[in-house]
Amino acid sequence: MKILENVSLAHFCTFGIGGDAKFLVNIKSKDDLIAALTFAKQQGLPTFVLGGGSNIVLPDEGINGVVLRMMNNNIVNTNQEIEIESGANWTKIMSYCKQNGIFGMETFSGLPGSMGGAIFGNAGCHGVETKDLLLKIEILDIKSGEFRWIDANDVEFDYRYSEFKRKPDWIIWSCTMKISKNSEDATADPKKLYEFRQERQPQGLTTGSFFKNPEGNAAGQLIDQCGLKGLKKGNVEVSTKHANFFMNLGGATARDVDELALEVQKVVEDKTGVCLEKEVLKIDQNGEFV
Protein backbone atom coordinates (compact mmCIF):
# COMPACT_ATOMS: atom_id res chain seq x y z
CA MET A 1 0.00 0.00 0.00
CA LYS A 2 1.40 3.38 -1.05
CA ILE A 3 0.44 6.49 0.91
CA LEU A 4 0.44 9.64 -1.21
CA GLU A 5 0.77 13.10 0.36
CA ASN A 6 -0.73 16.45 -0.66
CA VAL A 7 -2.63 15.15 -3.69
CA SER A 8 -5.00 17.42 -5.64
CA LEU A 9 -8.53 16.08 -5.39
CA ALA A 10 -9.69 18.06 -8.42
CA HIS A 11 -8.20 15.32 -10.61
CA PHE A 12 -10.39 12.66 -9.03
CA CYS A 13 -13.87 14.15 -9.40
CA THR A 14 -16.04 14.89 -12.41
CA PHE A 15 -16.48 18.55 -11.39
CA GLY A 16 -12.73 19.28 -11.43
CA ILE A 17 -12.99 21.13 -8.11
CA GLY A 18 -11.16 20.52 -4.83
CA GLY A 19 -7.97 21.27 -2.92
CA ASP A 20 -5.35 18.78 -1.74
CA ALA A 21 -5.85 15.68 0.36
CA LYS A 22 -3.36 15.50 3.22
CA PHE A 23 -3.03 11.80 2.44
CA LEU A 24 -4.54 9.65 -0.31
CA VAL A 25 -4.48 5.86 -0.60
CA ASN A 26 -5.55 3.91 -3.68
CA ILE A 27 -7.56 0.99 -2.29
CA LYS A 28 -7.32 -2.14 -4.43
CA SER A 29 -7.70 -4.91 -1.85
CA LYS A 30 -9.28 -5.58 1.53
CA ASP A 31 -5.81 -5.54 3.06
CA ASP A 32 -5.26 -2.05 1.59
CA LEU A 33 -8.46 -0.81 3.20
CA ILE A 34 -7.65 -2.23 6.63
CA ALA A 35 -4.08 -0.86 6.47
CA ALA A 36 -5.26 2.61 5.39
CA LEU A 37 -7.78 2.78 8.25
CA THR A 38 -5.08 1.70 10.68
CA PHE A 39 -2.78 4.44 9.35
CA ALA A 40 -5.52 7.07 9.73
CA LYS A 41 -6.15 5.98 13.31
CA GLN A 42 -2.43 6.16 14.12
CA GLN A 43 -2.29 9.67 12.66
CA GLY A 44 -5.44 10.75 14.47
CA LEU A 45 -7.00 11.78 11.16
CA PRO A 46 -10.50 11.35 9.71
CA THR A 47 -11.09 9.30 6.57
CA PHE A 48 -13.15 10.00 3.48
CA VAL A 49 -14.22 7.32 1.00
CA LEU A 50 -13.95 8.50 -2.61
CA GLY A 51 -15.44 6.52 -5.45
CA GLY A 52 -15.85 7.76 -9.01
CA GLY A 53 -16.05 11.37 -7.86
CA SER A 54 -19.41 12.24 -9.40
CA ASN A 55 -22.27 13.91 -7.56
CA ILE A 56 -19.97 15.60 -5.03
CA VAL A 57 -18.41 19.02 -4.46
CA LEU A 58 -15.05 18.74 -2.73
CA PRO A 59 -13.74 21.63 -0.58
CA ASP A 60 -11.40 24.30 -1.93
CA GLU A 61 -9.31 23.85 1.23
CA GLY A 62 -8.83 20.15 0.54
CA ILE A 63 -9.38 17.36 3.06
CA ASN A 64 -7.27 17.27 6.20
CA GLY A 65 -7.41 13.53 6.49
CA VAL A 66 -6.88 10.26 4.67
CA VAL A 67 -8.82 9.90 1.43
CA LEU A 68 -9.61 6.28 0.59
CA ARG A 69 -9.86 6.16 -3.19
CA MET A 70 -11.74 2.97 -4.00
CA MET A 71 -10.11 1.24 -6.95
CA ASN A 72 -11.34 -2.29 -6.24
CA ASN A 73 -13.13 -3.16 -9.48
CA ASN A 74 -13.44 -6.92 -9.89
CA ILE A 75 -16.61 -8.29 -11.51
CA VAL A 76 -17.73 -11.93 -11.31
CA ASN A 77 -20.82 -13.49 -12.88
CA THR A 78 -22.46 -16.51 -11.22
CA ASN A 79 -25.77 -17.91 -12.48
CA GLN A 80 -28.43 -15.21 -12.22
CA GLU A 81 -26.30 -12.83 -10.17
CA ILE A 82 -23.34 -10.58 -10.78
CA GLU A 83 -20.90 -9.60 -8.04
CA ILE A 84 -19.36 -6.15 -8.49
CA GLU A 85 -16.77 -4.45 -6.31
CA SER A 86 -17.52 -0.90 -5.27
CA GLY A 87 -14.73 0.80 -7.22
CA ALA A 88 -15.91 -0.51 -10.61
CA ASN A 89 -17.18 2.28 -12.86
CA TRP A 90 -20.25 1.95 -15.05
CA THR A 91 -18.27 1.92 -18.28
CA LYS A 92 -16.46 -1.23 -17.14
CA ILE A 93 -19.65 -2.77 -15.74
CA MET A 94 -21.62 -2.30 -18.96
CA SER A 95 -18.71 -3.50 -21.07
CA TYR A 96 -18.51 -6.65 -18.96
CA CYS A 97 -22.25 -7.23 -19.36
CA LYS A 98 -22.04 -6.84 -23.13
CA GLN A 99 -19.10 -9.23 -23.43
CA ASN A 100 -20.72 -11.87 -21.21
CA GLY A 101 -24.30 -11.75 -22.48
CA ILE A 102 -25.74 -10.23 -19.32
CA PHE A 103 -29.00 -8.28 -19.44
CA GLY A 104 -31.12 -6.22 -17.07
CA MET A 105 -28.73 -3.36 -16.24
CA GLU A 106 -28.89 -1.43 -19.53
CA THR A 107 -30.73 1.53 -17.98
CA PHE A 108 -27.49 2.52 -16.23
CA SER A 109 -25.50 2.82 -19.47
CA GLY A 110 -23.50 6.04 -19.45
CA LEU A 111 -23.96 6.71 -15.74
CA PRO A 112 -20.90 8.45 -14.27
CA GLY A 113 -19.24 7.32 -11.07
CA SER A 114 -18.78 3.92 -9.45
CA MET A 115 -20.88 1.06 -8.14
CA GLY A 116 -20.27 2.07 -4.54
CA GLY A 117 -21.40 5.61 -5.17
CA ALA A 118 -24.51 4.38 -6.96
CA ILE A 119 -25.46 2.30 -3.91
CA PHE A 120 -24.60 5.10 -1.50
CA GLY A 121 -26.85 7.60 -3.28
CA ASN A 122 -29.33 5.09 -4.74
CA ALA A 123 -28.59 6.43 -8.21
CA GLY A 124 -31.36 6.11 -10.74
CA CYS A 125 -31.89 6.43 -14.47
CA HIS A 126 -35.11 6.48 -16.48
CA GLY A 127 -37.28 5.18 -13.64
CA VAL A 128 -34.93 2.43 -12.42
CA GLU A 129 -33.01 2.87 -9.15
CA THR A 130 -29.94 0.99 -7.94
CA LYS A 131 -31.96 -0.60 -5.11
CA ASP A 132 -34.22 -2.27 -7.69
CA LEU A 133 -31.39 -4.59 -8.75
CA LEU A 134 -29.52 -5.02 -5.46
CA LEU A 135 -29.57 -8.37 -3.68
CA LYS A 136 -26.75 -8.14 -1.12
CA ILE A 137 -24.09 -5.64 -0.10
CA GLU A 138 -20.71 -6.49 1.38
CA ILE A 139 -19.47 -3.90 3.85
CA LEU A 140 -16.55 -3.32 6.14
CA ASP A 141 -17.91 -2.51 9.58
CA ILE A 142 -15.22 -0.19 10.93
CA LYS A 143 -16.30 -0.69 14.54
CA SER A 144 -15.83 -4.45 14.43
CA GLY A 145 -13.10 -4.42 11.80
CA GLU A 146 -14.89 -7.21 9.93
CA PHE A 147 -16.28 -7.61 6.43
CA ARG A 148 -19.82 -8.94 6.27
CA TRP A 149 -22.75 -9.27 3.88
CA ILE A 150 -26.11 -7.62 4.49
CA ASP A 151 -29.35 -8.24 2.63
CA ALA A 152 -30.40 -5.29 0.48
CA ASN A 153 -33.93 -5.60 1.89
CA ASP A 154 -32.51 -4.80 5.33
CA VAL A 155 -31.06 -1.48 4.14
CA GLU A 156 -33.19 1.65 4.01
CA PHE A 157 -33.41 3.21 0.54
CA ASP A 158 -35.35 6.15 -0.79
CA TYR A 159 -35.17 8.62 -3.68
CA ARG A 160 -31.44 9.44 -4.03
CA TYR A 161 -30.90 8.19 -0.49
CA SER A 162 -29.55 5.13 1.27
CA GLU A 163 -28.97 4.25 4.90
CA PHE A 164 -25.23 4.42 4.20
CA LYS A 165 -25.47 8.21 4.31
CA ARG A 166 -26.01 8.00 8.06
CA LYS A 167 -23.77 5.00 8.71
CA PRO A 168 -20.20 6.36 8.36
CA ASP A 169 -18.85 3.19 9.98
CA TRP A 170 -20.07 1.11 7.02
CA ILE A 171 -17.80 1.12 3.98
CA ILE A 172 -19.28 -0.49 0.87
CA TRP A 173 -16.91 -3.11 -0.55
CA SER A 174 -18.98 -5.01 -3.10
CA CYS A 175 -22.49 -6.11 -3.99
CA THR A 176 -24.48 -8.74 -5.83
CA MET A 177 -27.17 -7.71 -8.30
CA LYS A 178 -29.83 -9.70 -10.10
CA ILE A 179 -29.35 -10.08 -13.85
CA SER A 180 -30.61 -12.21 -16.73
CA LYS A 181 -29.03 -14.19 -19.54
CA ASN A 182 -32.13 -13.61 -21.69
CA SER A 183 -31.88 -10.71 -24.15
CA GLU A 184 -35.63 -10.20 -23.84
CA ASP A 185 -34.99 -8.94 -20.29
CA ALA A 186 -32.93 -5.97 -21.51
CA THR A 187 -34.26 -2.80 -19.89
CA ALA A 188 -33.09 -0.38 -22.59
CA ASP A 189 -31.01 0.02 -25.74
CA PRO A 190 -27.56 1.23 -24.57
CA LYS A 191 -26.88 2.88 -27.92
CA LYS A 192 -30.08 4.92 -27.72
CA LEU A 193 -29.34 5.89 -24.12
CA TYR A 194 -25.88 7.06 -25.16
CA GLU A 195 -27.38 9.14 -27.96
CA PHE A 196 -29.97 10.54 -25.53
CA ARG A 197 -27.27 11.64 -23.08
CA GLN A 198 -25.18 13.20 -25.85
CA GLU A 199 -28.19 15.09 -27.20
CA ARG A 200 -29.83 16.19 -23.94
CA GLN A 201 -27.03 16.45 -21.40
CA PRO A 202 -23.94 18.69 -21.43
CA GLN A 203 -20.51 17.10 -21.62
CA GLY A 204 -17.58 18.45 -19.62
CA LEU A 205 -16.77 19.24 -16.00
CA THR A 206 -20.05 18.65 -14.19
CA THR A 207 -21.48 16.67 -11.27
CA GLY A 208 -24.48 15.47 -13.23
CA SER A 209 -27.95 16.45 -12.00
CA PHE A 210 -27.45 19.08 -9.32
CA PHE A 211 -30.91 19.22 -7.71
CA LYS A 212 -33.38 16.45 -6.91
CA ASN A 213 -36.57 16.45 -8.94
CA PRO A 214 -39.41 17.75 -6.72
CA GLU A 215 -42.46 15.52 -6.66
CA GLY A 216 -44.48 16.14 -9.80
CA ASN A 217 -41.83 18.43 -11.30
CA ALA A 218 -38.48 18.32 -13.06
CA ALA A 219 -35.81 20.54 -11.49
CA GLY A 220 -34.29 21.37 -14.88
CA GLN A 221 -37.63 22.55 -16.27
CA LEU A 222 -38.29 24.76 -13.25
CA ILE A 223 -34.85 26.36 -13.51
CA ASP A 224 -35.29 26.86 -17.25
CA GLN A 225 -38.75 28.39 -16.78
CA CYS A 226 -37.21 30.92 -14.41
CA GLY A 227 -34.81 32.04 -17.16
CA LEU A 228 -31.70 30.86 -15.35
CA LYS A 229 -29.88 29.00 -18.12
CA GLY A 230 -26.46 30.58 -18.55
CA LEU A 231 -26.46 32.18 -15.08
CA LYS A 232 -22.89 32.38 -13.76
CA LYS A 233 -21.17 32.80 -10.42
CA GLY A 234 -17.43 33.00 -10.80
CA ASN A 235 -16.47 30.18 -13.13
CA VAL A 236 -19.55 28.02 -12.62
CA GLU A 237 -22.52 28.25 -14.97
CA VAL A 238 -26.03 26.84 -15.20
CA SER A 239 -25.77 24.79 -18.38
CA THR A 240 -27.42 26.29 -21.45
CA LYS A 241 -28.17 22.73 -22.62
CA HIS A 242 -29.79 21.31 -19.48
CA ALA A 243 -30.62 23.66 -16.61
CA ASN A 244 -30.13 21.05 -13.87
CA PHE A 245 -26.44 20.74 -14.71
CA PHE A 246 -23.81 23.11 -13.30
CA MET A 247 -20.69 23.43 -15.45
CA ASN A 248 -17.15 24.22 -14.35
CA LEU A 249 -15.94 26.60 -17.05
CA GLY A 250 -12.37 26.25 -15.79
CA GLY A 251 -10.87 27.20 -12.44
CA ALA A 252 -14.19 27.10 -10.60
CA THR A 253 -14.30 26.86 -6.82
CA ALA A 254 -16.63 25.25 -4.33
CA ARG A 255 -17.54 28.77 -3.21
CA ASP A 256 -18.65 29.59 -6.76
CA VAL A 257 -20.88 26.51 -6.68
CA ASP A 258 -22.41 27.49 -3.32
CA GLU A 259 -23.22 30.98 -4.56
CA LEU A 260 -24.78 29.73 -7.79
CA ALA A 261 -26.85 27.09 -5.99
CA LEU A 262 -28.21 29.64 -3.50
CA GLU A 263 -29.13 32.06 -6.28
CA VAL A 264 -30.92 29.35 -8.27
CA GLN A 265 -32.80 28.11 -5.19
CA LYS A 266 -33.87 31.64 -4.27
CA VAL A 267 -35.13 32.59 -7.72
CA VAL A 268 -36.97 29.30 -8.26
CA GLU A 269 -38.67 29.49 -4.86
CA ASP A 270 -39.62 33.15 -5.35
CA LYS A 271 -41.11 32.49 -8.79
CA THR A 272 -42.63 29.03 -8.38
CA GLY A 273 -42.91 28.39 -4.64
CA VAL A 274 -40.81 25.23 -5.04
CA CYS A 275 -37.76 24.81 -2.79
CA LEU A 276 -35.13 22.83 -4.69
CA GLU A 277 -33.13 20.31 -2.69
CA LYS A 278 -29.57 19.51 -3.68
CA GLU A 279 -28.79 16.05 -4.98
CA VAL A 280 -25.07 16.81 -5.06
CA LEU A 281 -23.25 16.26 -1.77
CA LYS A 282 -20.94 18.92 -0.34
CA ILE A 283 -17.87 17.75 1.58
CA ASP A 284 -15.95 19.72 4.22
CA GLN A 285 -12.26 19.66 5.24
CA ASN A 286 -12.87 16.74 7.60
CA GLY A 287 -14.43 14.62 4.87
CA GLU A 288 -17.90 15.03 6.32
CA PHE A 289 -21.12 15.92 4.51
CA VAL A 290 -22.39 19.44 5.11
Side-chain angles (χ1 to χ4, degrees):
M1 181 190 73
K2 187 176 182 180
I3 300 171
L4 306 175
E5 294 187 59
N6 302 317
V7 180
S8 173
L9 293 172
H11 300 302
F12 301 122
C13 65
T14 62
F15 218 179
I17 292 175
D20 291 353
K22 185 175 181 65
F23 297 105
L24 183 142
V25 181
N26 292 318
I27 306 297
K28 297 181 180 180
S29 69
K30 290 181 176 180
D31 286 342
D32 286 345
L33 182 54
I34 294 294
L37 290 168
T38 300
F39 171 76
K41 186 175 182 180
Q42 291 170 344
Q43 296 292 317
L45 292 171
T47 58
F48 174 68
V49 178
L50 177 64
S54 65
N55 218 41
I56 57 173
V57 180
L58 296 169
D60 298 323
E61 302 82 5
I63 293 179
N64 185 33
V66 181
V67 174
L68 311 174
R69 185 175 175 232
M70 304 303 288
M71 296 185 69
N72 55 325
N73 60 9
N74 290 322
I75 303 174
V76 179
N77 174 220
T78 56
N79 298 322
Q80 299 302 303
E81 299 177 4
I82 186 171
E83 184 175 330
I84 306 170
E85 289 186 341
S86 61
N89 64 46
W90 283 97
T91 299
K92 176 172 181 174
I93 295 169
M94 298 315 301
S95 177
Y96 181 94
C97 289
K98 182 177 180 180
Q99 291 172 9
N100 291 274
I102 293 170
F103 304 93
M105 301 179 67
E106 293 79 9
T107 310
F108 294 91
S109 298
L111 191 73
S114 64
M115 185 74 249
I119 296 171
F120 187 85
N122 190 26
C125 304
H126 304 283
V128 180
E129 295 180 320
T130 306
K131 70 175 179 61
D132 298 330
L133 300 178
L134 274 177
L135 296 172
K136 295 185 297 181
I137 306 156
E138 185 182 17
I139 65 165
L140 170 65
D141 188 329
I142 296 177
K143 287 184 177 178
S144 68
E146 296 179 349
F147 288 87
R148 61 186 173 92
W149 287 91
I150 52 178
D151 193 296
N153 291 325
D154 295 331
V155 178
E156 181 185 353
F157 288 100
D158 204 340
Y159 174 62
R160 301 300 181 266
Y161 170 82
S162 81
E163 188 175 347
F164 292 100
K165 290 190 175 184
R166 57 181 179 83
K167 291 286 182 68
D169 290 324
W170 288 3
I171 296 180
I172 300 168
W173 181 258
S174 67
C175 70
T176 59
M177 306 185 85
K178 55 187 175 185
I179 50 89
S180 172
K181 291 288 188 174
N182 188 341
S183 62
E184 294 183 0
D185 291 326
T187 55
D189 182 338
K191 183 179 179 181
K192 289 183 178 179
L193 281 182
Y194 174 79
E195 292 172 351
F196 174 86
R197 290 180 184 276
Q198 291 292 312
E199 179 185 348
R200 304 284 186 87
Q201 298 178 357
Q203 308 302 308
L205 298 176
T206 181
T207 61
S209 297
F210 196 89
F211 296 104
K212 297 179 181 179
N213 287 324
E215 188 173 353
N217 284 296
Q221 290 180 357
L222 291 172
I223 298 168
D224 190 6
Q225 289 168 10
C226 292
L228 297 175
K229 277 186 174 180
L231 178 67
K232 296 179 185 177
K233 292 290 182 181
N235 288 311
V236 176
E237 176 185 64
V238 176
S239 170
T240 56
K241 193 170 189 177
H242 191 307
N244 198 24
F245 283 67
F246 285 9
M247 307 302 297
N248 177 359
L249 303 177
T253 65
R255 178 173 291 184
D256 293 338
V257 178
D258 283 344
E259 292 179 356
L260 184 61
L262 286 171
E263 179 70 12
V264 169
Q265 286 172 313
K266 182 179 184 304
V267 173
V268 170
E269 186 169 13
D270 286 348
K271 291 189 175 183
T272 70
V274 177
C275 182
L276 293 176
E277 182 182 351
K278 294 178 186 176
E279 177 177 328
V280 171
L281 300 172
K282 182 182 176 183
I283 315 301
D284 69 11
Q285 280 183 278
N286 295 314
E288 296 182 350
F289 300 107
V290 292

